Amino acid sequence: MSSTKGAEVLTQGIGYGVVLGIGFVFAVIMMGLSTLQNRYTTYKISTSEEFNTASRSVKPGLIASGIVSAWTWAATLLQSSTVTYEYGLCAGYYYAAGATIQIFIMAILAVRVKQIAPYCHTFLEIVHARYGNTAHFMFATFGLVVNLIVSSMLLLGGSAVVNAFTGMNIYAANFLIPLGVCIYVILGGLRATFLCDYSHTLILMILILYFFFWTYTKADLIGGFEGMYNLLQQASIERPVAGNQDGSYLTLKSNYGLTFMIIQITGGFGTVMLDQGYWQRAIASEAKTAVRAYLMGGIAWFAVPLTFSSIMGLAAVALANNPSFPYPGGLTAAEINAGLAAPAGVVTLLGSGGAAAMLILLFMAVTSAASSEMIATSSILTFDLYQIHFKPDASPESLMRVSHIMVAVWALVMSCVASLWIGIGVSLNWLFLFSGTLFTGAVGPVIFSVVWRQQTKEAAISGALGGVVVGIIAWLTVAKTYYGELTIATTGLMYPNLAGNLGACCSGAIISAIVTLIKPDNEFDWSATKRINPRAREMDRKQATLPDSVSASGSDSPVEKEKQESAMVDVASAKDDITIDVPAEEYAELQRSLKVATWASLTLTFIVLFLIPIPMFLSHYVFSLNFFRGWIIICVIWLFAAAGITSILPLWESRAAIKDIFLGMTRDIFGGEARKGAVASSNTDA
């Protein structure tokens, strides 16, 4: 582990205060919000459906905000700035482009889930309904591996920055950061994570905008757009970038940058398509707005790494030789691998105040994404392992209890694994580049499971396992061939990871497709997936038959809700062979949404992957001052638009619920006073 004393500008007390204090503040806020939700709305967090799926009623603005929050890891901010420090301005764009298209593709899969399994809890339940226990257990393993690597990467990046800024023990940070998150997830469930995602994303946007305006309008060390441009030009002379046009930091013609984008694309498919957190948002969203939510979420998220890397990544490049830079002479390889480019830029520009802001920013990113991982993993462990393989007739009460336990268990597991990576010398950069090799072989089979009726169990299993084998062989072979030895250093370099990620992702899909085409399943008709979770269907039917005044009153106590849900078990079991069909009108609307999602996703993917970068790459264009200024201004305008999508739109969508809560509280407060007055008056009369 590299020494990080150069950036240590805050005390350990501040580190512990941020890690423990902010986490518990959010836990208290969540406790209050959960109380208001239970008292004044019809959604009771004591029910397993609400805890794990938010009753499938979340509106698109909040879903989009949750997507931005869940996809903004510590690595999003740290790694985008790190690759910008290494390869120049292009790397921030390549990072954003390489990790946005998966969100666009999820818009298509979100609609498919609503069509083929409207009441599922996890994507793995679809796998189980189609292929049985063996395939289900294997893909559940892939899902848990993804969650484990992502969760540990969150802590790996977050604890490194806390340690760099405050000197706080890095192992203590690994175990204390998830503590507050674990508490508020247990208190509020999936809807709690959405509400906290909203607040985290709001703080994220405010701080990034603060960094932008300080860096480009006030920082004397930079000197505005022209000063930054000149400093980057000078850096290109002093430290030219290998593989870039003229060694420049101001071009999209970057061989290593483009290679990084390909790794980002393939690895990103694994960390989205195999992460239950993203499927959970599809499941939680309203059917008619799922497409809009994912498209808005992808567009909004794109602005976060693009803008942040154009601020702090470029600032670290521009100021690497400045006497104020905390690491004299620039970052070493170990410090780059630890993701310290952005922290170095912040400390150089803003000192201890900037370090505190960056610490809060990273803490928001870590905790919001960690909450998504906790609830996602809890769903897999509860519904895909406990309920399917151990206790199929589990009551809603026991499912809730297991969900709570699994959230706490996962918080401990992710802390232990993050500490293990640090102990054996695995860096954030190494893990980020390698991880796709390990699991992207399963991406193709999982997508086919949702969109291709004819895929067989044998095709799904052979594709996933074959992809892993091909990926690992390619990864090790290229490392040995190019660099002559197999070490942590050589296996963490660009070309071995390019081979591993591409080999795993492509071969998994190809093997699965070939096996399916040789012997397709022509009898499958999705009826098995539509029968998933009939209990929730029965509850919806019951709710639909209630008078509006009753269903809107929310008068049922949590205990009564649980009894009603338990009563559905027998009904659901009796009707287990009945297909849960989506109503014809709703299905037609979903078909239209599917067409919109397909065309919009393909169009946006073409724009961000080809239309913008490829002409600039092939022309070998190096930015002029005016083009650079326009590029940065477009980035910040995009960020403002993203802030509107993730911060203002959810408030507008929730105005009715906010009004109901406000009126309910008002009635309780003033109604209570009136009742007290009446009682006092009657006592006086007596």
Side-chain angles (χ1 to χ4, degrees), residues 206-288:
I206 291 171
L207 289 177
I208 294 178
L209 288 170
Y210 164 66
F211 287 147
F212 170 80
F213 285 109
W214 180 273
T215 300
Y216 283 99
T217 64
K218 294 203 66 174
D220 293 333
L221 291 177
I222 296 296
F225 292 107
E226 186 172 355
M228 176 69 87
Y229 182 83
N230 292 332
L231 287 169
L232 294 175
Q233 290 279 61
Q234 184 62 32
S236 301
I237 297 171
E238 296 173 352
R239 305 185 308 278
V241 183
N244 282 25
Q245 180 66 31
D246 301 330
S248 177
Y249 287 90
L250 294 162
T251 179
L252 263 65
K253 199 283 173 185
S254 172
N255 297 340
Y256 286 109
L258 194 63
T259 301
F260 174 81
M261 183 176 74
I262 297 171
I263 295 174
Q264 176 78 325
I265 291 170
T266 52
F269 268 113
T271 49
V272 171
M273 304 304 171
L274 302 176
D275 188 338
Q276 170 59 20
Y278 298 95
W279 294 90
Q280 203 128 18
R281 281 155 175 75
I283 292 164
S285 64
E286 294 180 333
K288 60 185 178 182

Side-chain angles (χ1 to χ4, degrees), residues 609-625:
L609 287 189
F610 298 100
L611 188 61
I612 294 175
I614 298 304
M616 298 182 71
F617 182 93
L618 296 177
S619 66
H620 296 198
Y621 179 67
V622 177
F623 288 15
S624 66
L625 173 59

Side-chain angles (χ1 to χ4, degrees), residues 582-603:
V582 179
E585 183 178 340
E586 184 178 332
Y587 192 85
E589 185 176 351
L590 287 173
Q591 279 293 97
R592 290 192 293 272
S593 296
L594 183 61
K595 291 180 182 178
V596 171
T598 302
W599 283 106
S601 299
L602 293 177
T603 301

